[in-house]
Amino acid sequence: MTLWLLDHLLERIVRTGTLTRVWVDGRRRGFGDDTGPEVVMAVHDRRLPWRLLLNPSLALGDAYMDGTVTLPSADIRQLLDLLCRNLGTGSAPWAVNRLARAARFVARRAAQHNPAHRAADRVAHHYDLPDRLYDLFLDADRQYSAAYFLSGDDDLDTAQAQKKRHIAAKLCLAPGQRVLDIGCGWGGLALHLAQHQGDASVIGITLSREQLRIATARAERAGLAQRVDFQYRDYRHLQGRFERVVSVGMFEHVGVTHYRAFFRRLHDLLSDDGVALLHTIGRSDGPGATDPWIRKYIFPGGYIPALSEILPHIEDSGLIVTDIEVLRLHYAQTLAHWLARFQANRAQFDAVHDARFQRMWEFYLAGSEMAFRHGGMVVFQIQMARRQDAVPLVRDYITETERRHPLPPPVTPPSRF
Ligand SMILES: C[S@@+](CC[C@H](N)C(=O)[O-])C[C@H]1O[C@@H](n2cnc3c(N)ncnc32)[C@H](O)[C@@H]1O
């Protein structure tokens, strides 16, 4: 019965590609149309089909982490690519889609309560992991957000430098301005703005003590401690006025029930002639819910918004939207780089984390890439101001500013601090 159930699910899902499943007792069966490379999926637990039926994403992620699904002929990226390509084309069983949609609707609000005390624990869960982990897959500047690829051949460090320059251009920085970076990570963007873009004075805030320690040491080492100040602080507890406010890859932690407060705070922190830029992952297919596996293991409290969920709160705050860019596939490419680096550095990983943790991280990176390739995920860059004339009349200033700023030399990796 359980094998029948698994085969029924696979029959309905896998229409293109070549999947061979190997059951607990060694029995094999093929699915798909025999195109593309064969992916062999071995199942070692008879209960898996029921779990897949009830909670597909959680069950598959758990099974991969626990080793109850193994992939003798492929890696997790190929399996997820095959499954997501098929699910994305709408060939998933109708009932599964309907159930998933209903569950998403109920789960969405319940999971998004993210008050300040909980936000700090949730950030620590992810960003206070042993420091070396991030060196094994991120670029030298530890940019933990989508890079910006001008060409498919750009390497990761170049694409991340292009991302910082692109954001700086949209901020229209003038010399000596005060900038706030909400969710500053290990400090790379703040240091870039202070060093290469008009001598800005920057305050960067994070809820990770480990990030704060490293970002502060980097500012001191660069001789920028007078102009770049990193603080352990929640965005709700910040006072002051800034000519520029930027937030990159942080809004995903805010939670949908806090958007109103977030944009009101942003409005109050921005000076009258100020410019703000929000860079966040978003959904192009309308409101949804956080994938249960991602919520459980990677980003508790995280939520990816649709534009329709963000814009009403910007309008309500008194800010005006002056520009929106939708970056497609840049994050898929970034994640492919991260996964390739992670896999290339596996030997070093062994010293730090056990095999289960490694499979968890691999599933996270590969699954996220597929969400951008096939699942409607994109990145929104939303520029906002309090006044219509805060930015130039036409958009050419963005590329012109980028042209005037050659990419800076490579940075010293944070791991040296
Ligand atoms: C994915 S990282 C992005 C870091 C950096 N901007 C980058 O692009 O590499 C998210 C950052 O948001 C910060 N963060 C999350 N929730 C926050 C909050 N409530 N207040 C301030 N920072 C927060 C985290 O500490 C972390 O630095």
Side-chain angles (χ1 to χ4, degrees), residues 112-116 235-236 254-263:
Q112 297 311 306
H113 188 51
N114 199 24
Y235 68 91
R236 285 162 276 215
V254 169
V256 76
T257 54
H258 302 270
Y259 289 175
R260 185 164 185 256
F262 178 87
F263 287 108

Side-chain angles (χ1 to χ4, degrees), residues 119 123 127 142-145 163 182-185 205-208 211 233-236 248-250 253:
V123 163
Y127 300 104
R142 282 210 198 149
Q143 288 295 306
Y144 200 11
S145 48
K163 183 265 299 286
I182 303 178
C184 62
I205 60 169
T206 173
L207 283 183
S208 158
Q211 289 183 338
R233 201 175 288 278
D234 190 289
Y235 68 91
R236 285 162 276 215
V248 182
M250 176 271 172
H253 292 281

Side-chain angles (χ1 to χ4, degrees), residues 215-384:
T216 305
R218 292 180 79 191
E220 277 163 15
R221 172 75 70 89
L224 290 168
Q226 298 298 319
R227 276 195 292 121
V228 184
D229 178 23
F230 292 108
Q231 302 178 3
Y232 180 88
R233 201 175 288 278
D234 190 289
Y235 68 91
R236 285 162 276 215
H237 302 148
L238 198 77
Q239 304 297 329
R241 278 286 170 101
F242 299 85
E243 279 110 16
R244 301 295 181 253
V245 180
V246 64
S247 185
V248 182
M250 176 271 172
F251 193 67
E252 298 85 330
H253 292 281
V254 169
V256 76
T257 54
H258 302 270
Y259 289 175
R260 185 164 185 256
F262 178 87
F263 287 108
R264 290 193 161 194
R265 196 82 225 105
L266 193 57
H267 175 271
D268 293 348
L269 289 166
L270 199 62
S271 67
D272 217 31
D273 56 353
V275 178
L277 188 86
L278 178 70
H279 169 122
T280 178
I281 302 174
R283 313 177 69 102
S284 55
D285 57 355
T290 307
D291 176 85
W293 187 88
I294 288 284
R295 192 171 65 230
K296 182 169 178 187
Y297 295 105
I298 308 293
F299 289 118
Y303 181 72
I304 305 298
L307 266 186
S308 56
E309 292 170 290
I310 302 175
L311 294 180
H313 299 291
I314 298 180
E315 290 160 7
D316 173 67
S317 73
L319 290 165
I320 50 174
V321 174
T322 44
D323 191 82
I324 299 184
E325 183 176 19
V326 180
L327 299 173
R328 295 149 293 107
L329 295 173
H330 291 266
Y331 218 150
Q333 204 152 329
T334 308
L335 283 152
H337 276 281
W338 288 350
L339 182 62
R341 284 171 178 234
F342 176 86
Q343 288 173 334
N345 287 323
R346 179 157 286 155
Q348 292 181 55
F349 226 93
D350 288 343
V352 191
H353 295 290
D354 64 13
R356 185 173 185 273
F357 186 93
Q358 293 183 30
R359 287 195 296 264
M360 174 175 95
W361 213 259
E362 228 182 339
F363 191 84
Y364 153 52
L365 295 175
S368 301
E369 179 191 342
M370 295 314 146
F372 283 92
R373 288 207 189 282
H374 308 294
M377 294 291 171
V378 293
V379 168
F380 302 134
Q381 285 193 338
I382 307 176
Q383 186 196 53
M384 291 153 279

